[in-house]
């Protein structure tokens, strides 16, 4: 079954979006459901493991299960397949960020919509300040 998706176009280079998405220290900035991250790797790659503290205070383990540098990553949270994250370059200073959600987690799509809007705001503000 195809995952559900939500996407946003961002006035920023794809590399900037990718760097934001893989930096575990920045996940709480854009992830409404992530309060803290405990991970030995600042930037994730295939097989990276750690744990995230949810907005409700619960700590859950994670593992990066799919990874293509500069393009996409997927993870399992508490052993369950969770969201996928994609970055597509649309030009020199334009990209699209896409989040994928398993159909069985359809209500989580609302949280992902908030997350990609935060990513857009962060990146466009950083570009504006540069």
């Amino acid at each position: 079954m195809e995952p559900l998706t939500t996407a946003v176009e961002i006035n920023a280079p794809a590399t900037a979006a990718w760097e934001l998405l893989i930096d575990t220290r920045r996940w709480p900035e854009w992830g409404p459901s992530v309060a803290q991250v405990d991970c030995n790797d600042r930037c994730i790659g295939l097989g990276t493991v750690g744990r995230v503290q949810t907005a409700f205070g619960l700590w859950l383990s994670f593992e990066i299960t799919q990874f293509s540098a500069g393009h996409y990553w997927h993870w399992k949270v508490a052993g369950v397949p969770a969201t996928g994250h994609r970055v597509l370059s649309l030009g020199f200073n334009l990209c699209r960020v896409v989040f994928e959600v398993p159909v069985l987690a359809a209500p989580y799509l609302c949280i992902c919509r908030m997350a990609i809007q935060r990513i857009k705001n962060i990146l466009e503000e950083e570009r504006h300040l540069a």
Side-chain angles (χ1 to χ4, degrees):
M1 198 173 266
E2 288 293 313
L4 303 173
T5 62
T6 185
V8 67
E9 289 187 7
I10 302 172
N11 291 313
T15 54
W18 181 252
E19 289 169 10
L20 181 62
L21 284 174
I22 66 168
D23 187 342
T24 60
R25 291 184 189 168
R26 298 197 68 188
W27 289 357
E29 286 180 53
W30 56 263
S33 60
V34 177
Q36 292 185 67
V37 179
D38 178 21
C39 182
N40 288 333
D41 302 322
R42 177 170 181 167
C43 293
I44 60 167
L46 184 62
T48 296
V49 295
R51 49 189 202 134
V52 291
Q53 184 183 40
T54 68
F56 302 108
L58 182 65
W59 284 95
L60 301 172
S61 63
F62 75 81
E63 178 184 2
I64 307 305
T65 56
Q66 296 179 45
F67 187 90
S68 177
H71 302 289
Y72 67 86
W73 63 271
H74 295 246
W75 64 343
K76 285 186 178 180
V77 178
V80 177
T83 49
H85 311 76
R86 293 187 179 277
V87 177
L88 306 164
S89 178
L90 301 177
F92 179 67
N93 279 315
L94 186 65
C95 67
R96 178 178 295 125
V97 172
V98 181
F99 278 22
E100 301 173 349
V101 176
V103 172
L104 294 175
Y108 194 68
L109 198 60
C110 294
I111 301 297
C112 290
R113 285 186 181 124
M114 289 191 305
I116 62 171
Q117 187 59 50
R118 286 182 180 182
I119 290 167
K120 176 181 174 72
N121 294 343
I122 290 167
L123 291 172
E124 290 182 356
E125 178 66 21
E126 286 176 354
R127 186 166 178 252
H128 178 72
L129 293 175

